[in-house]
Amino acid sequence: MKKNKLGLLTAFLLAFGVIFMAADHIEAPAVQGTSADITDFYAFEGDSDKIVFVANTQGLLSPAASPDASFDENVLTEFNIDTDGDAVEDLIIHAIPRDGVMYFFGPTAATGNTGLSGTVAANSDVTIVDITPYGSTANIGTNGDISVFAGPRDDPFFMDFARYGEIIGGMATAFNDPGADTFAGTNVMSIVIEVPKSMIGGTGNINTWVETKTR
Amino acid sequence: MKYIKILSLVFLAAFTLQNCSDDEDNTPTLPDFSGTFTTADQMGRPAINTVLVTDGRKDAFNTTVPSQQGAAFASDFATRLSTLSPTLATDDDRNLLGLNATEFGGVLATDVLTVSLDGTTTFFDGTNVLTGRNLSDDVITTELTLIFGGEDGSEIPTLSDDNVDANDKAFLTVFPYLAEPF
């Protein structure tokens, strides 16, 4: 029975014929290879009363390419926070670079600024930080209990993407053990903000997602 | 004399207040961020668009608001899951969460990451499921297990774990948490 399943699986995978593009790296034609291409999104408890949001973009940067990597001043990164379970953002955090500085606005009400197009929430509280150059110690900006960072970092994502591609391509039927991390030694451009839970709903569950928006 | 003293105090107070007001006016002016920005890419849970959206619809998935993704993509996701994995081929086939392809596809189509503000935040730690995503969470093995592992998580073990369990650099215990670049 198991043998049958594996044979069936191989046939399925051959028919499937898709190339796997990792967490969200270069996953869609319109954004792959652009400064708006999100590679990953993380949200976790940092300090016990705070949540950390991480948006990584521009994946697979080699160490040689990393000193020249930069944030695009025409790309707005938007963290969306839904506090009532309807998958519509109630709060937003905006991050946008200008002249070597990353400006973070919010968390602030998403009222009038939900959906696929909008404007920078520049009327809300701002936290700023100098973008950390490659090779420098991390600059950390603070505003009350909010901390922010922007700059190149090691890509925290790990996966044997190459082997997955071989499996999907019908050239292999199983993962290797141990596997090889395809993202080892590569960097991303990271935007990180840590905010008090009290500013994003306090208790219960939130739904979150990240967008890059361009003008 | 006393009157003059009081008067000067009043002037001093007024001057001080004026100074305070001046300080507020002197906060740095923000750059001009005007303009309309339109969504290019979006992401909630890891690898959803990559794995479950068919080739012609990947840009559409990135530009459909999450509240409308379920209606637009749940059916596609169910088909994709049942096609991709023999362990989710029929309605009776369920994964470790007890979901069949239709139900699992329905959950995943709305691509938001649920985060607990009360308890442990993790993609999966053996106990808690989908309460956040840590840098160290082995999200790919979790997703492979939910797609290929069947009811008990072990039906096709050779496809349920990529055997890369951790990042190649240690994360920081303090902000900004991500490791320095290579």
Side-chain angles (χ1 to χ4, degrees):
Chain A
M1 184 59 197
K2 196 163 244 178
K3 216 169 211 175
N4 279 347
K5 272 194 171 175
L6 282 176
L8 199 61
L9 176 69
T10 307
F12 275 134
L13 291 181
L14 281 171
F16 196 61
V18 71
I19 298 172
F20 190 80
M21 295 300 184
D24 203 73
H25 308 63
I26 54 174
E27 90 293 356
V31 290
Q32 66 183 36
T34 73
S35 53
D37 189 13
I38 299 165
T39 66
D40 258 308
F41 173 52
Y42 300 82
F44 56 93
E45 183 179 70
D47 287 349
S48 62
D49 55 350
K50 296 177 183 174
I51 293 290
V52 181
F53 297 97
V54 178
N56 290 337
T57 60
Q58 307 181 48
L60 299 167
L61 290 170
S62 68
S66 298
D68 295 328
S70 64
F71 292 102
D72 188 331
E73 296 192 351
N74 290 311
V75 174
L76 169 68
T77 299
E78 177 176 289
F79 297 95
N80 297 273
I81 300 160
D82 160 33
T83 57
D84 56 11
D86 61 0
V88 175
E89 61 270 43
D90 300 295
L91 300 167
I92 51 176
I93 299 168
H94 278 170
I96 187 165
R98 183 67 58 87
D99 296 332
V101 175
M102 188 66 78
Y103 293 78
F104 292 78
F105 296 101
T108 188
T111 313
N113 217 357
T114 62
L116 297 176
S117 69
T119 55
V120 176
N123 289 330
S124 55
D125 283 349
V126 63
T127 309
I128 65 173
V129 65
D130 288 342
I131 294 168
T132 300
Y134 180 76
S136 297
T137 304
N139 297 324
I140 299 172
T142 59
N143 176 11
D145 289 327
I146 296 176
S147 298
V148 296
F149 168 86
R153 292 271 107 179
D154 160 56
D155 188 345
F157 186 64
F158 51 91
M159 178 192 177
D160 193 341
F161 157 64
R163 187 63 171 178
Y164 190 98
E166 291 173 8
I167 293 170
I168 291 294
M171 293 170 282
T173 56
F175 282 105
N176 290 318
D177 191 6
D181 179 7
T182 309
F183 299 86
T186 67
N187 300 321
V188 290
M189 295 300 282
S190 292
I191 294 172
V192 188
I193 180 167
E194 183 168 30
V195 301
K197 291 177 179 176
S198 59
M199 299 179 84
I200 54 171
T203 61
N205 290 333
I206 55 171
N207 294 315
T208 68
W209 66 101
V210 66
E211 290 169 77
T212 49
K213 294 182 170 180
T214 57
R215 65 173 173 186
Chain B
M1 190 62 188
K2 202 170 222 175
Y3 177 74
I4 289 173
K5 262 191 180 170
I6 287 169
L7 199 63
S8 56
L9 273 175
V10 167
F11 276 123
L12 188 66
F15 185 70
T16 308
L17 284 173
Q18 183 61 41
N19 261 358
C20 284
S21 168
D22 273 350
D23 279 349
E24 277 176 23
D25 291 345
N26 286 343
T27 50
T29 315
L30 288 172
D32 177 9
F33 289 123
S34 61
T36 299
F37 291 78
T38 307
T39 304
D41 199 358
Q42 69 179 341
M43 173 178 186
R45 304 182 192 93
I48 299 303
N49 193 353
T50 305
V51 177
L52 295 175
V53 180
T54 49
D55 281 346
R57 303 190 72 194
K58 289 182 183 296
D59 289 328
F61 188 73
N62 278 337
T63 52
T64 299
V65 293
S67 58
Q68 293 172 15
Q69 284 176 326
F73 291 91
S75 165
D76 267 22
F77 278 26
T79 303
R80 190 87 162 185
L81 285 165
S82 59
T83 306
L84 184 61
S85 176
T87 68
L88 291 173
T90 74
D91 282 351
D92 293 332
D93 290 323
R94 297 181 179 278
N95 69 8
L96 196 56
L97 298 176
L99 305 174
N100 64 23
T102 301
E103 294 160 351
F104 194 34
V107 169
L108 296 181
T110 302
D111 189 21
V112 297
L113 181 67
T114 301
V115 180
S116 171
L117 300 182
D118 303 319
T120 304
T121 53
T122 180
F123 204 66
F124 178 63
D125 65 0
T127 305
N128 303 286
V129 182
L130 296 177
T131 59
R133 182 185 178 189
N134 294 303
L135 298 171
S136 58
D137 287 339
D138 191 355
V139 296
I140 291 300
T141 294
T142 298
E143 292 185 343
L144 290 171
T145 300
L146 292 176
I147 294 173
F148 295 108
E151 284 89 345
D152 68 356
S154 66
E155 283 191 39
I156 310 179
T158 54
L159 291 174
S160 299
D161 190 342
D162 69 341
N163 301 306
V164 178
D165 303 330
N167 191 39
D168 54 335
K169 262 198 179 187
F171 298 119
L172 314 181
T173 56
V174 295
F175 194 87
Y177 303 102
L178 285 81
E180 287 185 4
F182 279 94

